[in-house]
Amino acid sequence: AQSVTQPDIHITVSEGASLELRCNYSYGATPYLFWYVQSPGQGLQLLLKYFSGDTLVQGIKGFEAEFKRSQSSFNLRKPSVHWSDAAEYFCAVVAYNFNKFYFGSGTKLNVKP
Amino acid sequence: DGGITQSPKYLFRKEGQNVTLSCEQNLNHDAMYWYRQDPGQGLRLIYYSQIVNDFQKGDIAEGYSVSREKKESFPLTVTSAQKNPTAFYLCASSIPLDSSGANVLTFGAGSRLTVL
């Protein structure tokens, strides 16, 4: 069965520091991978996606993620965090030509001034 | 602007009552979805529909029902059979992004249901 694990429930970083949010997936074939961000009481916004090709993908708001097949990981990174990045982040996977998305349990990011 | 509209934003229900959450999209997307979000559990799929007049159960469909009579609309009814309905409900839609069939989800702003 497909699954997504985000091992960190909460992360706190100082403004200006670098950030890495971890995501591991379990899926038999090559997955399609996503990162979404959610502000409190709001819907989810797509940050970036990986379908194929270059394993380092760039997204909005200065985020990037790297697909590592050998580690079944798709970690999200940002070189310098801004206070406005405080939110909850979700990793998701979907099978090829299939409409069921599987989401991780989310990582809440706090940003210290 | 195109998007997904969910209503109401907040809804309170007494135990034993059915409630219907509205989801309307003007993105011309074929597929629509309902997710339930609980703290610490991520998003769980309730129902999804790939075309009009057709829908499939997701992972937690018990106690819920849907209809898809129009492409733009995918209402969710939370019935009295749902034992723990207090949650945040998210509607989403999608079209295939490319010829590989990989979809990208677009979400509404959500509806928070509280059972009193």
Side-chain angles (χ1 to χ4, degrees):
Chain A
Q2 298 164 42
S3 67
V4 179
T5 301
Q6 293 180 246
D8 303 306
I9 299 174
H10 289 99
I11 283 185
T12 298
V13 300
S14 298
E15 191 168 17
S18 64
L19 170 71
E20 182 169 27
L21 303 183
R22 296 182 290 166
C23 172
N24 294 97
Y25 66 89
S26 173
Y27 182 61
T30 299
Y32 296 108
L33 296 157
F34 307 81
W35 274 99
Y36 283 85
V37 61
Q38 184 182 34
S39 297
Q42 298 297 317
L44 278 69
Q45 180 185 20
L46 179 69
L47 279 177
L48 47 79
K49 59 189 180 291
Y50 171 77
F51 289 163
S52 64
D54 192 345
T55 56
L56 183 64
V57 294
Q58 303 296 321
I60 62 172
K61 305 185 181 186
F63 286 92
E64 66 178 25
E66 185 171 14
F67 171 60
K68 293 186 177 180
R69 185 190 302 276
S70 62
Q71 299 178 19
S72 297
S73 70
F74 189 56
N75 293 349
L76 181 71
R77 301 194 294 246
K78 187 169 184 179
S80 177
V81 170
H82 188 262
W83 64 265
S84 61
D85 294 324
E88 190 160 19
Y89 293 80
F90 292 92
C91 183
V93 62
V94 65
Y96 168 81
N97 205 22
F98 196 56
N99 281 324
K100 288 185 70 174
F101 287 71
Y102 293 88
F103 286 83
S105 56
T107 298
K108 285 189 177 178
L109 173 65
N110 295 320
V111 180
K112 292 190 301 184
Chain B
D1 289 339
I4 300 175
T5 301
Q6 291 187 239
S7 61
K9 179 72 173 174
Y10 300 96
L11 184 61
F12 297 89
R13 178 193 109 175
K14 294 181 180 179
E15 284 193 25
Q17 289 181 335
N18 292 355
V19 294
T20 297
L21 307 181
S22 170
C23 178
E24 302 280 333
Q25 55 101 354
N26 60 5
L27 300 167
N28 200 33
H29 287 177
D30 290 313
M32 297 187 74
Y33 311 75
W34 275 105
Y35 286 88
R36 170 179 171 142
Q37 186 177 22
D38 297 282
Q41 295 194 48
L43 279 69
R44 293 181 290 168
L45 182 63
I46 305 173
Y47 269 98
Y48 66 104
S49 167
Q50 299 194 44
I51 57 173
V52 175
N53 292 323
D54 185 53
F55 48 82
Q56 289 79 42
K57 293 182 178 180
D59 301 315
I60 56 164
E62 185 175 353
Y64 299 97
S65 66
V66 294
S67 63
R68 186 83 186 280
E69 298 177 0
K70 299 187 299 181
K71 187 175 184 178
E72 301 79 18
S73 178
F74 191 41
L76 174 73
T77 297
V78 184
T79 75
S80 57
Q82 170 51 236
K83 298 306 179 187
N84 185 22
T86 294
F88 190 56
Y89 292 88
L90 287 160
C91 179
S93 68
S94 74
I95 55 172
L97 185 64
D98 58 26
S99 59
S100 72
N103 296 351
V104 175
L105 290 176
T106 300
F107 284 88
S111 293
R112 183 166 299 280
L113 172 63
T114 302
V115 174
L116 303 173

